[in-house]
Amino acid sequence: MSTLSGMTGFGRADGAGEGWTWSVEARSVNGRNLEIRFRGPNGFDGLERAAKAAGQARFARGQVTIGVHAKRAEAGEAAVTINAAVLARYLTLANELAEDGATPPSADGLLALRGVIEAPEEADDPEARATVEAAMTRTVEEALDALKASRQNEGAQLTPVLDEFIARIEALVAQAEDEAAAQVEAIRDRFTRRISELAPDAPGLEDRIFLEAAALATKADVREELDRLTAHVASARQLVASAPAGRKLDFLMQEFMREANTLCSKSATTALTGIGLELKAVIEQLREQVQNVE
């Protein structure tokens, strides 16, 4: 038996290596189809492709967002240098402006100017960057696994809720079957009263009543609708026990509602109409919960 999964969840994982640290957050919300969005650091061109492939391998529906936040280790203080040539140019320009009445430059202001303080960047080693990207990909997969576990936890909470609604539908269908058996007699009695009131002495009245009542009973026969509803209940139980089942359950809800509408339109008694209306309400409640199923 497969575990039913929801579509809402969150997963996080962290990693480090080759002078880099990074964190990955993966979250998802309901969606009719699978949509994967990615945000990551510049320079790791293959990471988005790998992240989306990993998401597609794990999920069937939902809007999934994957975010990778990466930071390179900062150079040590001893490695920081001042570019004297750039500083001299800035100082010359600042002094010229000061002669024209501008505020003389401060030391911290000069040091904050672009290019004055230099921290030598490590030359990018393609092999080292590929190693970091591969490690980031593994962290993305860890975050997606955590997200999948979170969605399965939601599915575990949804399963008994779905089972309860399906059981209520099954009980209402059984009530409808009992009530439908009385429809023929109810139609005959109603038609007899009306004909007797309009033409109490008409010849062949009994035969006419029988024929008309039979025709009306045929139009009001709901056995096919009830049989299909019973089959839908069985299908719903099978789908809840399998995964992913969201799309199929979506379609099944439409079939449930179609049969319930027909049942109400064919109903010849207030009792059966009441059962049909309650059935539609429960189907709608089930449909709302199915929107959360992957």
Side-chain angles (χ1 to χ4, degrees):
M1 180 182 294
S2 300
T3 302
L4 195 69
S5 177
M7 285 189 283
T8 302
F10 175 80
R12 178 187 171 94
D14 300 303
E18 301 291 333
W20 287 81
T21 59
W22 60 86
S23 63
V24 181
E25 291 185 352
R27 63 187 73 237
S28 67
V29 296
N30 293 354
R32 187 173 182 82
N33 300 303
L34 178 62
E35 179 183 356
I36 300 177
R37 301 173 182 174
F38 177 84
R39 297 192 306 272
N42 295 327
F44 295 92
D45 300 332
L47 191 57
E48 179 175 3
R49 182 173 60 255
K52 289 187 174 181
Q56 291 168 352
R58 288 165 174 77
F59 308 116
R61 292 213 301 173
Q63 295 182 4
V64 179
T65 301
I66 305 168
V68 181
H69 305 277
K71 183 179 181 182
R72 196 174 214 167
E74 295 181 357
E77 291 182 3
V80 175
T81 60
I82 295 178
N83 190 319
V86 173
L87 177 60
R89 288 198 295 271
Y90 279 131
L91 186 58
T92 299
L93 292 173
N95 288 333
E96 291 177 359
L97 292 173
E99 291 176 359
D100 294 333
T103 303
S106 62
D108 56 346
L110 288 170
L111 292 175
L113 294 173
R114 183 177 180 180
V116 175
I117 294 181
E118 294 181 337
E121 296 184 0
E122 300 176 22
D124 276 336
D125 179 355
E127 185 175 343
R129 183 165 286 263
T131 300
V132 173
E133 187 171 294
M136 285 182 178
T137 299
R138 290 191 293 271
T139 307
V140 167
E141 292 173 346
E142 292 174 8
L144 290 174
D145 286 339
L147 172 61
K148 185 175 181 66
S150 177
R151 287 169 54 132
Q152 288 176 337
N153 181 60
E154 183 190 32
Q157 296 175 10
L158 279 171
T159 299
V161 176
L162 299 180
D163 287 341
E164 180 182 353
F165 281 126
I166 294 170
R168 287 174 60 186
I169 290 173
E170 185 177 42
L172 287 168
V173 171
Q175 292 178 30
E177 288 176 343
D178 293 339
E179 185 59 36
Q183 281 222 120
V184 174
E185 190 63 30
I187 291 171
R188 178 182 175 84
D189 291 345
R190 184 184 306 164
F191 192 74
T192 299
R193 288 196 305 271
R194 290 181 178 176
I195 292 296
S196 298
E197 291 171 359
L198 294 173
D201 299 325
L205 182 61
E206 288 297 326
D207 292 339
R208 180 64 183 275
I209 289 173
F210 177 80
L211 292 174
E212 293 293 340
L216 290 173
T218 299
K219 293 180 180 179
D221 187 0
V222 295
R223 284 176 296 182
E224 289 186 10
E225 287 72 25
L226 293 175
D227 287 345
R228 283 194 286 267
L229 283 168
T230 299
H232 293 341
V233 167
S235 296
R237 286 206 169 100
Q238 291 176 356
L239 289 173
V240 170
S242 62
R247 288 193 181 92
K248 293 180 180 179
L249 283 170
D250 275 342
F251 175 76
L252 189 59
M253 293 306 102
Q254 299 175 32
E255 298 302 304
F256 263 122
M257 191 60 76
R258 180 179 292 111
E259 301 304 334
N261 284 330
T262 305
L263 177 68
C264 289
S265 66
K266 285 186 174 183
S267 173
T269 66
T270 56
L272 185 57
T273 299
I275 294 171
L277 292 174
E278 185 176 356
L279 183 61
K280 290 174 62 174
V282 177
I283 292 170
E284 179 60 26
Q285 290 174 316
L286 176 59
R287 187 194 67 79
E288 291 176 357
Q289 293 299 326
V290 164
Q291 303 308 304
N292 300 314
V293 178
E294 181 181 8

